[in-house]
């Protein structure tokens, strides 16, 4: 992959490609579609709203949106202003939302007008975005006519996004991701998955989490089209939408794969006839299930990844190319280092089980909260994952 000069997230994904991509579809929601130019218009209006609301670089902005063009535009607008976006799923529990709000102390909360914001924040602005024109309206009404320029001097090394972990082992951790880490991840994933301007990526998981967000920004970095699944998540809806939009790729947790495997061969193949690649992550999938999926979709590339929010997609298994390694999650991605450490911290040899340590350009370098997590987990440039595994003689985890 050709190295590019580091850029802030907004410039890397939108501003620097407007001349070549302005009329191309960027985000599709149902029957509506925003072009790159219309998405940029929405971003600039939201940036004007942020400035009017007194948001300055370094401020946190809480975002409460379902998967939507408004959420994508708002994250990029916050990043373009040098502030830090903190997305939280509007369906998240009251306790989780309260913890995110308390720990990040946001200057402002932006929420979908079509979703009850349920926000305890004292300053909340409701946002409605026209999914065709890119026109944005705010409640209360704010002046968004003084549109900022397409360029900005935001430091690529600065924080752009705080994503909170699941909290399965305690309170959710606020993982701080920089512009540079997110941009590197977007470009490298686009290269690995072969995304192009005619890619149409279906987003089925919440954009408030790393799995779906990384696929969305990788698609935008290639000038492709992000297609948001609307309505209830089901195999029927996924297959109908994939056929209607001619989807070329999507990311899914394993449970949806299991439903696909039981949905009927001809139905699945017919609906996913344009699917070039399918990626699986977030939980374990068996080698037998992978083998069945390879047989079900013989023309589709199948990938399995391992990673955490702190270091997403650290390894990647190309299942069709490595059918003898379906019990693994692949080798480290280019640019990512992986080692297996014993109880004393020393590296272990091939086949020995120990803690998985990661480092790479996409890695978070700090936690927002709890404040003592950084020193306990990010040690000497390595992420101590708390997960255990072994690496075989070929370097597969």
């Amino acid at each position: 992959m050709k190295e590019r000069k580091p850029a802030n997230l907004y410039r890397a994904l939108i501003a620097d490609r407007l001349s070549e991509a302005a009329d191309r579809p960027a985000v599709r929601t149902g029957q509506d579609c925003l072009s790159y130019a219309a998405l940029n218009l929405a971003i600039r209006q939201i940036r004007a709203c942020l400035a009017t609301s007194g948001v300055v670089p370094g401020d946190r902005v809480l975002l409460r949106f379902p998967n939507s063009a408004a959420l994508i535009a708002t994250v990029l607008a916050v990043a373009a202003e040098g502030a830090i976006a903190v997305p939280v799923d509007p369906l998240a529990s009251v306790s989780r939302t309260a913890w995110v709000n308390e720990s990040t102390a946001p200057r402002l909360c932006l929420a979908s007008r079509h979703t009850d914001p349920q926000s305890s924040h004292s300053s909340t602005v409701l946002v409605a975005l026209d999914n065709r024109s890119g026109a944005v309206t705010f409640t209360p009404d704010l002046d968004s006519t003084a549109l900022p320029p397409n360029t900005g001097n935001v430091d690529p090394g600065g924080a752009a996004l705080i994503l909170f972990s699941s909290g399965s082992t305690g309170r959710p951790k606020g993982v701080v991701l920089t512009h540079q880490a997110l941009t590197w991840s977007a470009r490298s994933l686009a290269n690995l998955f072969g995304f192009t301007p005619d890619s149409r990526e279906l987003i089925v998981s919440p954009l408030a989490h790393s799995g779906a967000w990384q696929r969305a920004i990788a698609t935008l970095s290639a000038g492709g089209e992000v297609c948001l699944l609307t309505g209830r998540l089901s195999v029927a809806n996924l297959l109908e939408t994939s056929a209607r939009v001619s989807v070329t790729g999507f990311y899914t947790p394993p449970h949806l794969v299991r439903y696909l495997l039981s949905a009927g061969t001809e139905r699945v193949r017919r609906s996913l006839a344009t699917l070039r690649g399918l990626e699986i992550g977030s939980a374990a999938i068996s080698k037998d299930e992978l083998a069945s999926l390879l047989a079900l979709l013989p023309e589709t590339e199948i990938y399995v990844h391992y990673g955490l929010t702190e270091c997403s997609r650290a390894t990647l298994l190309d299942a069709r190319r490595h059918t003898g390694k379906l019990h693994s999650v692949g080798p480290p991605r280019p640019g990512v280092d992986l080692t297996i450490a014993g109880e004393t911290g020393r590296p272990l040899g091939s086949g020995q089980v120990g803690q998985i340590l990661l480092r790479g350009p996409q890695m978070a370098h700090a936690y927002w909260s709890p404040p003592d997590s950084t020193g306990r987990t990010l040690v000497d440039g390595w992420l101590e994952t708390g997960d255990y595994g072994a690496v075989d003689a070929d370097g597969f985890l």
Side-chain angles (χ1 to χ4, degrees):
M1 181 175 60
K2 183 180 178 181
E3 290 292 329
R4 302 187 198 179
K5 183 179 179 180
N8 67 61
L9 192 61
Y10 166 64
R11 290 191 59 179
L13 300 188
I14 307 297
D16 287 352
R17 64 173 55 259
L18 280 175
S19 60
E20 65 191 55
D23 296 328
R24 288 208 297 261
V27 183
R28 178 175 298 278
T29 309
Q31 301 295 332
D32 297 334
C33 191
L34 278 177
S35 68
Y36 274 82
L39 176 59
N40 185 56
L41 173 62
I43 292 169
R44 293 172 70 195
Q45 291 171 90
I46 297 167
R47 289 177 64 192
C49 162
L50 295 170
T52 301
S53 302
V55 173
V56 298
D59 280 347
R60 279 74 60 207
V61 180
L62 190 70
L63 310 180
R64 287 183 56 83
F65 293 84
N67 279 11
S68 59
L71 176 55
I72 293 172
T74 304
V75 171
L76 294 176
V78 172
E81 288 299 294
I84 307 171
V86 187
V88 58
D89 191 329
L91 298 179
S93 68
V94 172
S95 60
R96 179 182 176 89
T97 302
W99 166 243
V100 172
N101 190 33
E102 174 189 341
S103 60
T104 59
R107 169 68 68 101
L108 180 70
C109 173
L110 298 179
S112 170
R113 180 180 293 177
H114 307 296
T115 304
D116 180 3
Q118 300 264 328
S119 176
S120 59
H121 197 270
S122 59
S123 181
T124 298
V125 174
L126 301 184
V127 177
L129 190 157
D130 186 297
N131 287 322
R132 293 185 179 181
S133 70
V136 182
T137 54
F138 304 98
T139 306
D141 188 27
L142 295 172
D143 181 14
S144 60
T145 57
L147 300 182
N150 289 331
T151 56
N153 296 316
V154 178
D155 177 12
L161 191 63
I162 299 175
L163 294 178
F164 276 77
S165 66
S166 64
S168 57
T169 58
R171 274 192 157 179
K173 295 178 182 177
V175 180
V176 181
L177 298 168
T178 66
H179 291 262
Q180 195 164 327
L182 290 164
T183 299
W184 182 89
S185 190
R187 289 171 172 170
S188 64
L189 286 174
N191 182 66
L192 281 171
F193 294 132
F195 288 169
T196 65
D198 67 349
S199 293
R200 291 173 299 279
E201 175 75 13
L202 185 64
I203 303 297
V204 301
S205 300
L207 285 167
H209 301 287
S210 178
W213 176 250
Q214 298 282 354
R215 293 282 298 204
I217 61 175
T219 304
L220 293 175
S221 77
E225 179 180 350
V226 176
C227 305
L228 302 172
L229 187 72
T230 58
R232 179 174 171 267
L233 174 57
S234 65
V235 168
N237 190 10
L238 184 150
L239 294 178
E240 187 279 326
T241 302
S242 296
R244 173 170 50 82
V245 180
S246 298
V247 162
T248 60
F250 63 89
Y251 154 76
T252 178
H255 72 268
L256 193 55
V257 170
R258 296 176 186 120
Y259 289 130
L260 283 174
L261 291 174
S262 63
T265 301
E266 290 309 312
R267 178 190 181 196
V268 171
R269 287 181 178 172
R270 183 172 60 251
S271 299
L272 301 181
T274 59
L275 191 68
R276 301 173 190 164
L278 188 156
E279 184 194 12
I280 304 160
S282 83
I285 185 167
S286 73
K287 63 180 182 179
D288 290 340
E289 288 169 330
L290 271 180
S292 296
L293 188 62
L294 289 168
L296 176 66
L297 300 172
E299 304 300 320
T300 302
E301 299 300 324
I302 308 294
Y303 301 95
V304 178
H305 80 246
Y306 164 76
L308 294 79
T309 303
E310 294 90 330
C311 191
S312 66
R313 292 170 168 85
T315 72
L316 194 70
L317 173 70
D318 183 336
R320 195 165 297 283
R321 182 179 176 187
H322 299 288
T323 54
K325 300 286 190 179
L326 300 187
H327 59 287
S328 80
V329 288
R333 283 168 53 196
V336 176
D337 295 322
L338 182 153
T339 191
I340 303 297
E343 290 185 5
T344 63
R346 66 177 181 84
L348 300 179
S350 171
Q352 293 184 286
V353 175
Q355 184 178 189
I356 302 166
L357 273 58
L358 302 171
R359 67 181 177 188
Q362 82 277 39
M363 195 173 83
H365 293 283
Y367 291 101
W368 190 269
S369 59
D372 61 343
S373 296
T374 299
R376 289 188 287 108
T377 308
L378 301 168
V379 180
D380 296 330
W382 289 91
L383 170 67
E384 297 187 354
T385 65
D387 292 333
Y388 286 75
V391 173
D392 68 17
D394 299 314
F396 284 65
L397 178 66

